[in-house]
Amino acid sequence: MTLFEAIEGLTQYAIDASLIKEMDRVYCRNRVLDTLKIFSYESGDIKSTNHFDCLKVLVDYAANQGIIESNRPPYSDLFESQIMDIFMPKPSEVIEQFNLKMKVSAEEATDYYYNLSKKSHYIRLDRTSKNMLWQVDSPYGEVAISINLSKPEKDPKAIAAALSKVENNYPKCLLCKENEGYSGHINHPGRHNHRIVPLMLQSEEWFLQYSPYAYFNEHSIVLKSEHENMIISHKTFSRLMDFLDLMPHYFIGSNADLPLVGGSLLTHDHYQCGKNEFAMDKATVIGAFAIDGVQVEHLNWPLSVLRISDFNRSKVEKVACRIFDAWVGYEDKSYNIVPFTNDIRHNTVTPIARKKEGMYQLDLVLRNNRSDDRHPTGIFHPHPDVHPVKKENIGLIEVMGLAVLPSRLVEEMTMLTDHIVSNTPLTDNKFEIILTKIEEKITSKDRDHVYETVRQVIGDTFVKGLEDSGVYKQNEEGFNGLLKFVESL
């Protein structure tokens, strides 16, 4: 495909995808030519309207001409974002369309916005399609295991350049509203083609956007207009309920607001949402009781989960506030639960809300981030035997039963399979415990069977990390401990 064929093909793609209209063709073509510093044009046939292929031709040309440093990320990503913005509607136009469709239904509005985010190359379908996903059986039901490959490896030149890059504080973080349309740089992704939609939650301005990494179906983020630290409070539960009233077809949840048990970004208050059913949604019930006349269930789940359900949202909020307030200051040293070390708080919750057949459901996952000499990375955190698979925080998505594991495991699973099938040497002894578990499970050295067993053991190990993170274990002692807390309310 020639350069001009790629330009024409990309423009035709934008027309076919309803990003632009036929009358915009010449204008958008000239904008692309200007970005490529080309001042003439040779019309040609359209060989392909595959925008991934067309963009690659443009990126290669830009790199060869010195317009960008390299045809690899992050330079290619920054450039592709700039090119695709040429075909994008203005933020006000997106908001207008979204609000018009909201008058029909919330689902029609999110369908429009989600499809726009995919068509605009903001959600990189060429990368998210490479993600690995499989299911493993567990004592708590079927748990999903994923290896996310949508974050690209950086060009070595970019890594070196980043060391000398002078940092600025604009935007202050990756979630700030100021990312909309931002050009980006080697340490900050390009957001030319990024659009956000305003929402009002508890009379405050928040924004809805989709995640470019798409860990699950319609993975989206609700971010606060102001750059403020994450905090779980009574207002959190009210905001989640407000969101359900706006978007009843989506779930919404928040990471915990403390290090070790929270997400990777605690400096900007935000929630995650989407149209997805997780393993925890389908968890069975161990016990049920009433608090202030509202049904509360203890779920059969590796972490300690209390599910509050009622048709009256204010009742759900009041019970959630009561549980949260009690948990923040709750102490039971027999279960290693200590709420404070001097002024440092340890107890918090991971809240997750959804609507089921008109009923509000709010799950409160009890969390504690304390560490000690025996468990320096966290008492209720994946322990060292889990670290070859997962040593990062157990955040919201994983709490619900979707593992998001590091990309290194793709190569390491092949390495473990090769070792068992062909006796090739292991380069790292960190897999000794996992290797023993694999060898205990395999019934032959058939490669497919061994590889499938490796995946199962990887999943089992992740589930063990969830169990490590539960403040009350799923045994009689743990049941009694949780009941003791509930009775203290």
Side-chain angles (χ1 to χ4, degrees), residues 91-102 108-109 112:
S92 59
E93 296 169 344
V94 174
I95 293 166
E96 183 180 8
Q97 281 298 310
F98 183 88
N99 288 338
L100 281 173
K101 293 179 184 300
M102 277 291 288
E108 185 164 323
Y112 156 74

Side-chain angles (χ1 to χ4, degrees), residues 265-372:
L265 185 59
L266 296 176
T267 56
H268 195 125
D269 209 357
H270 69 283
Y271 311 127
Q272 297 187 64
C273 50
K275 188 193 292 184
N276 203 74
E277 185 175 53
F278 294 88
M280 195 177 84
D281 296 348
K282 299 177 282 188
T284 57
V285 176
I286 294 175
F289 31 86
I291 299 176
D292 295 339
V294 175
Q295 176 179 280
V296 179
E297 297 170 325
H298 175 204
L299 300 187
N300 178 33
W301 194 244
L303 292 101
S304 305
V305 186
L306 295 175
R307 174 168 292 168
I308 310 162
S309 303
D310 203 277
F311 288 103
N312 185 322
R313 61 169 277 183
S314 64
K315 289 183 178 180
V316 172
E317 291 175 45
K318 287 176 182 176
V319 171
C321 292
R322 183 174 171 184
I323 292 172
F324 174 70
D325 289 346
W327 178 249
V328 165
Y330 187 74
E331 178 173 285
D332 190 339
K333 291 184 178 178
S334 64
Y335 289 89
N336 276 317
I337 299 168
V338 176
F340 290 93
T341 300
N342 299 320
D343 293 331
I344 299 173
R345 177 168 61 94
H346 297 304
N347 286 353
T348 188
V349 298
T350 300
I352 302 136
R354 67 188 71 78
K355 254 187 169 181
K356 287 283 182 76
E357 298 178 351
M359 180 176 283
Y360 296 92
Q361 285 187 350
L362 179 57
D363 295 345
L364 296 185
V365 186
L366 306 180
R367 312 298 299 273
N368 177 288
N369 78 338
R370 196 166 69 90
S371 58
D372 60 14

Side-chain angles (χ1 to χ4, degrees), residues 23 41 46 67 152-154 208 228 234 245 247 281 313 337 356 361 364 373 394 424 432 461:
M23 293 186 69
Y41 184 72
I46 296 173
I67 298 169
E153 292 187 9
K154 286 187 175 181
L208 175 68
E228 296 175 356
H234 291 188
D245 287 340
M247 309 279 178
D281 296 348
R313 61 169 277 183
I337 299 168
K356 287 283 182 76
Q361 285 187 350
L364 296 185
D373 292 340
I394 298 295
T424 56
E432 286 181 3
T461 305

Side-chain angles (χ1 to χ4, degrees), residues 28-46:
C28 291
R29 175 203 295 153
N30 285 335
R31 290 282 311 282
V32 175
L33 291 172
D34 181 61
T35 305
L36 293 169
K37 303 186 187 307
I38 297 173
F39 304 102
S40 62
Y41 184 72
E42 299 174 11
S43 60
D45 296 333
I46 296 173

Side-chain angles (χ1 to χ4, degrees), residues 43-330:
S43 60
D45 296 333
I46 296 173
K47 295 289 181 65
S48 172
T49 57
N50 182 309
H51 66 294
F52 304 124
D53 295 340
C54 295
L55 283 168
K56 185 178 185 308
V57 174
L58 271 59
V59 165
D60 288 343
Y61 176 85
N64 289 334
Q65 296 298 310
I67 298 169
I68 58 176
E69 291 288 322
S70 163
N71 65 352
R72 293 179 58 188
Y75 303 109
S76 58
D77 288 2
L78 294 168
F79 185 74
E80 289 175 13
S81 169
Q82 182 181 2
I83 290 290
M84 288 307 299
D85 185 48
I86 292 169
F87 306 101
M88 285 290 288
K90 295 289 190 293
S92 59
E93 296 169 344
V94 174
I95 293 166
E96 183 180 8
Q97 281 298 310
F98 183 88
N99 288 338
L100 281 173
K101 293 179 184 300
M102 277 291 288
K103 293 178 180 178
V104 179
S105 74
E107 195 156 6
E108 185 164 323
T110 55
D111 283 349
Y112 156 74
Y113 184 35
Y114 182 56
N115 286 325
L116 176 68
S117 300
K118 290 187 291 184
K119 291 174 182 177
S120 66
H121 202 55
Y122 175 71
I123 298 176
R124 294 289 303 258
L125 296 176
D126 55 331
R127 291 177 181 159
T128 59
S129 63
K130 297 175 184 176
N131 293 343
M132 297 177 66
L133 177 67
W134 68 95
Q135 310 288 328
V136 295
D137 290 328
S138 81
Y140 315 100
E142 207 171 49
V143 172
I145 309 298
S146 75
I147 298 178
N148 194 284
L149 303 173
S150 59
K151 291 186 179 181
E153 292 187 9
K154 286 187 175 181
D155 185 298
K157 288 191 293 185
I159 296 172
L163 296 175
S164 58
K165 172 73 177 175
V166 177
E167 292 294 337
N168 62 47
N169 63 350
Y170 182 86
K172 291 180 180 177
C173 77
L174 292 172
L175 289 182
C176 283
K177 63 185 178 185
E178 289 80 10
N179 280 278
E180 186 177 41
Y182 184 61
S183 62
H185 48 76
I186 54 177
N187 289 334
H188 196 109
R191 292 291 184 251
H192 282 287
N193 55 340
H194 178 43
R195 302 292 183 265
I196 58 178
V197 174
L199 302 173
M200 294 301 291
L201 304 178
Q202 290 295 289
S203 301
E204 300 169 334
E205 187 176 55
W206 291 65
F207 290 93
L208 175 68
Q209 70 171 62
Y210 284 96
S211 167
Y213 306 117
Y215 290 148
F216 52 83
N217 187 42
E218 299 190 32
H219 182 187
S220 34
I221 298 168
V222 175
L223 56 104
K224 197 168 190 179
S225 177
E226 303 303 318
H227 180 77
E228 296 175 356
N229 289 346
M230 286 195 69
I231 184 166
I232 303 293
S233 67
H234 291 188
K235 210 166 188 179
T236 302
F237 309 136
S238 298
R239 291 186 193 121
L240 299 185
M241 296 294 112
D242 278 359
F243 181 85
L244 292 183
D245 287 340
L246 288 171
M247 309 279 178
H249 62 301
Y250 273 12
F251 85 90
I252 183 168
S254 174
N255 270 302
D257 56 345
L258 298 179
L260 292 182
V261 294
S264 58
L265 185 59
L266 296 176
T267 56
H268 195 125
D269 209 357
H270 69 283
Y271 311 127
Q272 297 187 64
C273 50
K275 188 193 292 184
N276 203 74
E277 185 175 53
F278 294 88
M280 195 177 84
D281 296 348
K282 299 177 282 188
T284 57
V285 176
I286 294 175
F289 31 86
I291 299 176
D292 295 339
V294 175
Q295 176 179 280
V296 179
E297 297 170 325
H298 175 204
L299 300 187
N300 178 33
W301 194 244
L303 292 101
S304 305
V305 186
L306 295 175
R307 174 168 292 168
I308 310 162
S309 303
D310 203 277
F311 288 103
N312 185 322
R313 61 169 277 183
S314 64
K315 289 183 178 180
V316 172
E317 291 175 45
K318 287 176 182 176
V319 171
C321 292
R322 183 174 171 184
I323 292 172
F324 174 70
D325 289 346
W327 178 249
V328 165
Y330 187 74

